[in-house]
Amino acid sequence: LGAAICAAVACGAHANYEDACRAMVRMARTHAPNRDLAPLYEQKYARYLRLIEVLQPVWSELAWQSE
């Protein structure tokens, strides 16, 4: 859906992203985090942040690697 929204703005079907989203996005339901699981969420987020830090050199190397 994100690519379709971008295309709609790029081709002029919608004036901007806000208008495109308003026209194209429908929310059928919402989800809320389970407050009882907050410590688990925090632990997993901390692990994610460590992975981002550790993998940064790899992503940088791949981004500039020519084939």
Side-chain angles (χ1 to χ4, degrees), residues 2-3 8-9 11 13 15 17 20 22 24 26 28 31 34-35 37 44-45 55 58 61 63 67:
V9 174
C11 75
Y17 291 106
R22 192 175 297 116
M24 300 172 73
R26 299 289 178 263
H31 298 274
N34 181 336
R35 292 182 186 271
L37 295 177
K44 288 179 176 276
Y45 183 63
L55 290 173
V58 175
E61 179 182 325
E67 296 185 72

Side-chain angles (χ1 to χ4, degrees), residues 43-65:
Q43 180 184 25
K44 288 179 176 276
Y45 183 63
R47 183 180 302 138
Y48 164 78
L49 291 177
R50 286 194 313 272
L51 281 170
I52 293 297
E53 184 178 342
V54 169
L55 290 173
Q56 185 56 45
V58 175
W59 296 125
S60 296
E61 179 182 325
L62 290 173
W64 294 103
Q65 192 172 36

Side-chain angles (χ1 to χ4, degrees), residues 2-44:
I5 291 169
C6 291
V9 174
C11 75
H14 293 284
N16 54 52
Y17 291 106
E18 185 176 332
D19 290 346
C21 288
R22 192 175 297 116
M24 300 172 73
V25 175
R26 299 289 178 263
M27 292 181 32
R29 61 183 178 205
T30 59
H31 298 274
N34 181 336
R35 292 182 186 271
D36 294 336
L37 295 177
L40 177 62
Y41 298 150
E42 289 172 7
Q43 180 184 25
K44 288 179 176 276

